[in-house]
Amino acid sequence: LSAYKRFSELLPKEEREDAYSARVPKSQILTLPELRANPFQHRICHVFSTSETGDDSMSFEDFLDMLSVFSDSATSDVKSHYAFHIFDFNDDGILDRKDLEHLVNCLTGQGEECQLSITEMEQLIQNILEESDFDKDGTISLPEFQHVVSRSPDFARCSVLQR
């Protein structure tokens, strides 16, 4: 009931009675305090949205899925699965160098004063791949990502999917 109330409050007043069948625009989802300052807010909306138009709006079911993954009771496997898809910026099922660069830029900030030099970025990506790319194909697959995450006991508590 609490989730339904939060969802319906994101809708215009005239649509609240039919909240279960309505879709909340991405712009409204991004007003949630849990997403407002998250550097992956747009990717989170994209990953959880089932919109056929690609506008990243959310149905109540999408919203529940997102809240479930954000919850403290979600398993590390579930959180890592969704984190992987959030970090897969080009939606190709692997984390390649471009995805890792985009990930690092999101974490360090987008301003010029925050960006790493080309050398620093390359070294960081190389370090990430050395730790995570077990088959040495230059990318990180979901199983590789989940294996690395499983070695980090703080992941579920401190991940991109924390509320």
Side-chain angles (χ1 to χ4, degrees):
L1 289 174
S2 175
Y4 186 79
K5 183 175 187 259
R6 283 191 81 193
F7 181 80
S8 65
E9 288 171 350
L10 295 169
L11 291 166
K13 286 187 184 350
E14 62 274 4
E15 293 182 37
R16 289 183 183 170
E17 285 188 29
D18 280 338
Y20 187 74
S21 61
R23 296 194 72 83
V24 172
K26 176 182 173 180
S27 60
Q28 284 299 108
I29 298 293
L30 295 178
T31 66
L32 292 168
E34 296 88 345
L35 293 179
R36 199 173 300 137
N38 190 311
F40 301 100
Q41 59 181 246
H42 296 284
R43 287 295 303 162
I44 290 169
C45 287
H46 179 74
V47 167
F48 286 97
S49 173
T50 58
S51 171
E52 292 179 8
T53 65
D55 64 0
D56 294 341
S57 63
M58 287 193 190
S59 68
F60 180 59
E61 294 293 324
D62 298 338
F63 188 73
L64 279 179
D65 288 344
M66 182 180 71
L67 291 181
S68 295
V69 173
F70 275 107
S71 80
D72 292 336
S73 61
T75 66
S76 182
D77 280 348
V78 168
K79 286 184 182 287
S80 64
H81 171 85
Y82 281 95
F84 178 86
H85 289 288
I86 289 166
F87 299 158
D88 181 14
F89 291 91
N90 57 11
D91 294 320
D92 64 357
I94 56 170
L95 302 183
D96 58 20
R97 287 181 172 275
K98 279 289 194 203
D99 291 319
L100 296 174
E101 184 177 330
H102 202 146
L103 170 61
V104 170
N105 284 333
C106 283
L107 291 172
T108 59
Q110 297 296 325
E112 286 186 30
E113 69 280 353
C114 299
Q115 286 191 333
L116 300 177
S117 71
I118 293 170
T119 305
E120 291 169 327
M121 179 67 78
E122 186 54 39
Q123 184 60 54
L124 182 55
I125 289 172
Q126 193 57 42
N127 291 348
I128 292 169
L129 289 171
E130 284 175 14
E131 289 290 319
S132 310
D133 181 18
F134 300 114
D135 62 8
K136 304 299 180 206
D137 67 351
T139 65
I140 302 169
S141 65
L142 177 59
E144 289 169 329
F145 182 80
Q146 288 182 312
H147 178 75
V148 169
V149 166
S150 73
R151 298 185 330 213
S152 175
D154 291 337
F155 174 77
R157 190 172 45 80
C158 299
S159 77
V160 67
L161 300 173
Q162 183 178 355
R163 356 179 229 137

